Amino acid sequence: MTSKTTVKTLLILGASGDLTGRLLLPGLAGLLAAGGAPGLRLVGAGSDPWSPDQWRERVDGAFAAASKEADAQGKAALAAVAGSTEYHQLDVTADGPLAELLSQLEGPVAIYFALPPHVSQKACEVLHPEQLPAGTRLVMEKPFGSGTESARELNKTLAALVPEDHIHRVDHFLGKATVLNILGLRFANRFLEPVWNRDNIEKVEVIFDEDLALEGRARYYDTAGALRDMIQSHLLHIMAFLAIDAPATIGERDLRDAVATVLRASSIKAPYNLSTRRARYTAGTLGERTVPDYAAEEGVDPARNTETLAEVRVDIDNWRWSGVPFILRSGKAMGQRRKEAVITFRPVPHLPKGFSGVDSPNQLRIGFGPDVLELDVDVNGPGDIFSLDRASLVAELNAAGMLPYGEVLEGILTGDPLLSVRGDTAEDCWRIIEPVLNAWANGEVPLEEYAAGSAGPANWPTAVED
């Protein structure tokens, strides 16, 4: 059972960082404007020596868009939080300062670690259970740890501080709308679930290609790369929701048990030069913008051989999916923005003679942001009634009522861990990709190149031109 505790204070560690300004505060603003966090107090803490005015300016700027659209009640809620917020400069890894700050805050407190994984680990290690206000929730950003062992150690550290249902390992990709759209599509349609298996599906692809380059994030990204940043942290979970057996309920225990079962059966098999690919962008053009070679971007160490495009084949060794490749791919500085899952069905076993045209395998596409469903089917005509032509049935899926981080924060503040990542699952995600990271570090898989603004290396099967 989940302990339903309403959080009174949201403490953001790393409040002066990029994540807080770009995603967390705007997400919080949407939640506040919708009336989702009554009476909440916001406190920021960071290593930068910010004045109260600097912090207030950041909060006001992040709240501006939501305030403009909000009704009178929403505007009042935003103004109340912005008017009472405060910022503290402190070293969260030192023994004492963080505990002292917590003692001054009204509980329950949600501590949001908007920090690099190794800093979050140190900050948790200097805390003791008795220093945490009753009902404290610990919120960890992904990547959770830097490998299987560090994730295990971090889990032990967190478990010594609070119960598992008070730990939120954030995956903002698992917004409620996206997850429920996948689950509703799969389990509410009788015609679909019976064919959702190895007998009828040829392959499943989860693609997250961005038309953005590094955008000043070299300090983090150059030590992570596409495999850690996107595939380990996010796409494995989307894959799991596409692959799970139907849970009894969509409660957090049933649903997270089903996800864990799929991931335990998942692996990337050697040889890794056949099951994985990696590449790095060179100079090119994104729209009207010229993008420099990744290796020449400020803050990048070319010797790290950090990939900006990664692709892996995951095998799920169970009855439903044995032999079906799950292709996960993510890249930066791509010419075409693609955020979708593509399910390719097997060809029909026999097409009656007399039809002409191309009978290609049917595909089902589930778009993420905007959430769109597209089913490709072969139909007769137009014109020659004996000629087959491709048609697409398109439906817009329900969109989230707020930004992804608003959904994340709503779950944290109301004590709902449904969309957070459970500890064992976080370790399993590292187990799946760690052998690949080791093989890449040993040079077993070549680092290919692609021009910024292209579809990636032309020889990759997942490359799609406009």
Side-chain angles (χ1 to χ4, degrees):
M1 293 291 291
T2 301
S3 304
K4 295 293 184 185
T5 307
T6 302
V7 167
K8 295 294 185 184
T9 305
L10 174 62
L11 170 61
I12 301 177
L13 307 183
S16 55
D18 173 71
L19 172 67
T20 299
R22 189 166 51 91
L23 297 171
L24 263 181
L25 291 178
L28 176 62
L31 180 60
L32 291 167
L40 182 72
R41 183 162 178 247
L42 171 65
V43 178
S47 57
D48 291 318
W50 278 18
S51 67
D53 286 343
Q54 281 177 288
W55 172 243
R56 190 73 53 81
E57 186 178 336
R58 162 164 275 205
V59 173
D60 288 342
F63 283 13
S67 182
K68 188 176 180 182
E69 301 292 328
D71 59 18
Q73 194 172 356
K75 282 181 167 64
L78 288 162
V81 170
S84 65
T85 189
E86 57 187 51
Y87 176 87
H88 298 263
Q89 182 190 0
L90 55 85
D91 179 359
V92 297
T93 64
D95 193 358
L98 180 54
E100 173 63 24
L101 174 58
L102 286 167
S103 70
Q104 302 168 24
L105 302 179
E106 181 186 3
V109 177
I111 309 174
Y112 201 113
F113 293 82
L115 299 165
H118 68 282
V119 180
S120 297
Q121 170 83 25
K122 288 178 182 175
C124 292
E125 286 172 352
V126 299
L127 288 172
H128 303 284
E130 64 273 11
Q131 296 171 329
L132 302 179
T136 291
R137 299 187 173 276
L138 304 179
V139 189
M140 315 302 294
E141 267 290 330
K142 297 188 83 176
F144 185 78
S146 55
T148 309
E149 190 55 42
S150 68
R152 189 174 294 124
E153 287 302 312
L154 185 49
N155 276 333
K156 288 180 183 176
T157 301
L158 297 175
L161 294 173
V162 298
E164 171 65 30
D165 70 349
H166 283 57
I167 302 168
H168 295 258
R169 299 169 189 85
V170 169
D171 185 351
H172 66 276
F173 273 56
L174 302 184
K176 259 182 190 163
T178 295
V179 170
L180 296 179
N181 280 336
I182 292 174
L183 299 181
L185 173 69
R186 283 201 49 201
F187 301 125
N189 293 292
R190 180 62 185 261
F191 71 91
L192 202 54
E193 183 57 21
V195 300
W196 207 261
N197 54 47
R198 66 187 303 273
D199 296 327
N200 299 286
I201 290 178
E202 188 172 272
K203 64 179 177 179
V204 177
E205 298 166 281
V206 181
I207 311 288
F208 200 91
D209 283 354
E210 298 179 274
D211 55 359
L212 299 173
L214 199 52
E215 314 303 329
R217 296 180 66 221
R219 188 169 70 168
Y220 161 71
Y221 193 86
D222 199 44
T223 58
L227 185 58
R228 287 184 182 90
D229 181 49
M230 288 299 306
I231 293 177
Q232 184 278 143
S233 288
H234 303 300
L235 301 193
L236 280 172
H237 259 80
I238 292 178
M239 178 200 80
F241 280 110
L242 291 167
I244 60 171
D245 288 333
T249 73
I250 54 171
E252 62 90 10
R253 182 171 179 179
D254 287 341
L255 191 55
R256 298 205 295 178
D257 278 350
V259 167
T261 299
V262 166
L263 291 174
R264 280 198 301 273
S266 301
S267 64
I268 301 170
K269 300 190 186 309
Y272 299 111
N273 62 330
L274 298 180
S275 59
T276 74
R277 295 181 173 90
R278 60 176 178 152
R280 184 166 72 185
Y281 70 77
T282 57
T285 304
L286 285 174
E288 299 179 356
R289 188 160 58 100
T290 300
V291 177
D293 191 310
Y294 175 83
E297 293 263 28
E298 186 178 350
V300 167
D301 179 1
R304 283 199 184 103
N305 285 333
T306 300
E307 80 286 351
T308 59
L309 174 62
E311 179 183 304
V312 300
R313 168 183 168 147
V314 181
D315 285 281
I316 302 174
D317 294 321
N318 62 17
W319 189 284
R320 184 189 287 262
W321 296 115
S322 180
V324 177
F326 282 75
I327 309 298
L328 312 185
R329 162 185 161 131
S330 181
K332 282 193 174 296
M334 310 303 297
Q336 184 179 353
R337 183 178 179 268
R338 290 181 68 200
K339 299 179 180 182
E340 63 178 359
V342 183
I343 294 88
T344 301
F345 293 90
R346 295 189 183 281
V348 295
H350 172 71
L351 182 68
K353 292 180 181 178
F355 282 116
S356 62
V358 178
D359 171 49
S360 53
N362 305 109
Q363 288 188 324
L364 176 66
R365 297 174 181 272
I366 306 170
F368 307 121
D371 287 8
V372 175
L373 182 68
E374 185 175 331
L375 177 62
D376 294 336
V377 294
D378 292 320
V379 296
N380 300 58
D384 183 357
I385 197 67
F386 293 101
S387 178
L388 295 173
D389 200 13
R390 175 53 50 97
S392 294
L393 310 177
V394 180
E396 289 187 13
L397 303 177
N398 287 328
M402 64 184 83
L403 295 170
Y405 268 87
E407 293 184 306
V408 165
L409 288 167
E410 183 178 38
I412 292 162
L413 299 179
T414 59
D416 181 5
L418 176 67
L419 300 181
S420 71
V421 177
R422 208 167 62 188
D424 58 335
T425 302
E427 293 176 27
D428 252 331
C429 288
W430 281 115
R431 173 194 58 77
I432 292 166
I433 72 148
E434 215 161 34
V436 179
L437 292 169
N438 293 335
W440 288 7
N442 293 333
E444 296 175 28
V445 178
L447 180 64
E448 301 179 58
E449 293 184 338
Y450 63 98
S454 72
N459 63 322
W460 288 28
T462 46
V464 176
E465 299 286 354
D466 282 320

